[in-house]
Amino acid sequence: MLEVKDVRTSFKTDRGLVKAVDGVSFTLERGETLGVVGESGCGKSVLSKTIMGLLPSNASRSGSIKFEGQEIGGPSIKHMRDFWGTQMSMVFQDPMTALNPVMKVGKQITESLRHHLDVSREFANETALQLLSSVGIPEPERRLKQYAFEMSGGMRQRVMIAIALACGPKMLFADEPTTALDVTVQAQILDLLEAQQAERFMAMILVTHDLGVVAGRADNIMVMYAGQSIEMAPTRTLFSQMRHPYTEALLKSIPKLNQASHTRLDAIGGRPPDLVNPPVGCRFAPRCPYAQAKCHQEAPPLMVHDTPGHEYACWFPVGTPQGAEALAKNQGSIGTAVGGQ
Amino acid sequence: MSEVAPMTEASPEPTQEEEEATKRGLGIAAWLAIGWLGCMVFLAVSASFLPLDDPINGSIRETPGVSYFTEGHIFGNDLLGRDTLARVVVGTSTSLSIAALSIGFGTLIGGFVGLVAGYVGGRIGTALSAMFDILLAFPPLLLALTLVSVLSPVTETDPPSRIKRMLVVALAVGLVSIPILARITRANALSWSQREFVMAAKSQGAKPFRIMLREVLPNVVPAMLSVALLGLASVIIVEGGLALFGLSINPPDPSWGNMVASQVDDLGETPHVWIVPSVFIFLSVMSLNLLGDVVRDKFAVREAAI
Ligand SMILES: Nc1ncnc2c1ncn2[C@@H]1O[C@H](COP(=O)(O)OP(=O)(O)O)[C@@H](O)[C@H]1O
Ligand code: SF4
Ligand SMILES: [Mg+2]
């Protein structure tokens, strides 16, 4: 249903060209969920906005994006308006800023209903009511007449989801839908998204910096680093035989239940590279515990190695003899490599 | 040793600054200002229905130039025997009409252009705001003076009617207020347009015009209102300035400005004739400025944006 091929997005800035997304490809079918995972700043949101065609004016994109066979990666934004809301829509990270502070939430739901489906006010109100109850909001009649500031964070995000679902999109982007929320309501919102996705048989792209969030929920996971996809696999495969050192580091940094949701990736030191001048060779090399001389010179290609459907880009993958040897070498114990032949 | 604090279940909702500001009362000064302006609007609207003396033609039976509290004349009369109260009330109607018309005009046009410039941004936005800056570089009083004298020259034989003259003055002053309102609207529209809910509306397929009017504009209204209130105050003063040059409404029709102006050569002889409208001007300008500030604070209009 969605076919993304070698998509690149860059921003013109005073510092130079920021290559926020640098050659990402994947496909997504109806009813499937793709988890997009990576540290903050690695281009996840830009990727979603690129596919949606919601980029600011200083951005340029290239590559092919096919939605149900139709190319939507072109330069024209005008025809995207027909897709927004009815074909694809988006749940934003912070429901406080994604809801209009001076418009009643009921109005915000009916607005797009009436605009797209050209229905009567009564019908739109009725639909809004049903939507609110379907996203688990008690007393929907009362809530319809409230403003965003009168609601709790979890409630606002439910409203946001109701708005996104209003016109029955075939594809839903959820960009860190729980990052701004309290830990206790995060799971509820994720469950709600999952339930709605299954019920409506939508395709969903679930963006998060937390591998734990997508663990039980995504069919496939794509790990992004510095604007590139560096490992992609069916969820179970990824967790059972992850190959990329960055994925491993992400897994080690999954926030434990009693930690705040914003914990930095401190299992590995350093910061993601500058996207204006990314390092030559593997972009993760400066931070990678496995890195060898080759990594700094030659960029590893993203490709299928052993298991079909499991792609990764690394010269010394985790859990392989080469990887083990490289790690051992870096830890200063050459010759005692573990992992056999 | 300090103990580890137990995890709190759910953090309390963040209290919103705006919410608190909304809950705070208006304060006595603001209510007084509203009261005064309410009276002014009442006088302006009902001027022609109130049982007032003739503001244009004095009565020869009276002693001219008496000051206050002479029978029948709370504020006395002038050297032509015209009742000061009647003149100041009709003047209120003239001055406020000019103020409302010009700021209404400025807000409508300036607001629309500013909204487009702020939302569309890019080159169009830059070009438009360069235009405002050029307009702002003209000294406002001079511009208004020029406009009035060009648009409505007073010739001996054919003096323009009161209404026409009022419209011309309002237009001239309103033109001056366009760039001011455009600028503030653009700055606010720009910052609101970058908010996520605008993107969210867009991602639901809303058209640009709809987003401007339904999503951005309502959020910009407080800033516009605040500036418009300050603008009304300025117009009242500018009208006084025009009157000094004989370019406001034509005498003998009264406005606050030309009641004062008619006395500038001789402030001492019948002081009540200029003091009364001056007090009206002073209190109205004060009230408008105060309410402008109240609106700005209450809706947390950011100074930086102004
Ligand atoms: N409008 C923009 N102009 C310039 N740079 C941008 C813009 N939007 C995003 N970026 C840059 O693109 C990179 C990726 O951002 P983003 O996709 O938001 O990361 P995340 O993975 O946290 O969602 C960041 O380095 C950010 O600075
Ligand atoms: S290619 Fe080298 S630097 Fe890059 S992740 Fe693999 S081992 Fe680390
Ligand atoms: Mg993001």
Side-chain angles (χ1 to χ4, degrees), chain A residues 84 97 100 107 115-116 182, chain B residues 11 196-197 204-205 214-215:
Chain A
W84 293 333
T97 57
N100 188 339
K107 195 91 194 157
H115 170 236
H116 282 298
D182 215 84
Chain B
S11 57
E196 213 165 32
F197 68 84
Q204 284 303 115
R214 306 274 295 134
E215 307 282 338

Side-chain angles (χ1 to χ4, degrees), chain A residues 11 13 18 20 39-46 56 58 176 275:
Chain A
F11 297 99
T13 68
V18 178
E39 264 170 301
S40 107
C42 68
K44 307 182 297 293
S45 298
V46 174
N58 66 336
E176 311 237 14
L275 293 174

Side-chain angles (χ1 to χ4, degrees), chain A residues 52 54 81 84-85 89 92 97-103 107 111-112 115-116 152-153 156 163-164 182 184, chain B residues 7 9-11 13 16 19 192 195-197 199-200 202-208 210 214-216 218-219:
Chain A
M52 285 276 288
L54 283 172
R81 203 164 289 132
W84 293 333
S89 75
F92 290 82
T97 57
L99 291 171
N100 188 339
V102 297
M103 200 190 283
K107 195 91 194 157
E111 214 38 10
S112 68
H115 170 236
H116 282 298
S152 70
R156 281 179 212 140
I163 293 175
D182 215 84
T184 46
Chain B
M7 268 277 294
E9 268 281 88
S11 57
E13 279 302 298
Q16 291 291 308
E19 207 178 330
W192 283 102
R195 296 282 286 259
E196 213 165 32
F197 68 84
M199 170 91 73
K202 204 171 153 188
S203 78
Q204 284 303 115
K207 293 200 175 75
R210 191 189 191 83
R214 306 274 295 134
E215 307 282 338
V216 182
N219 287 293

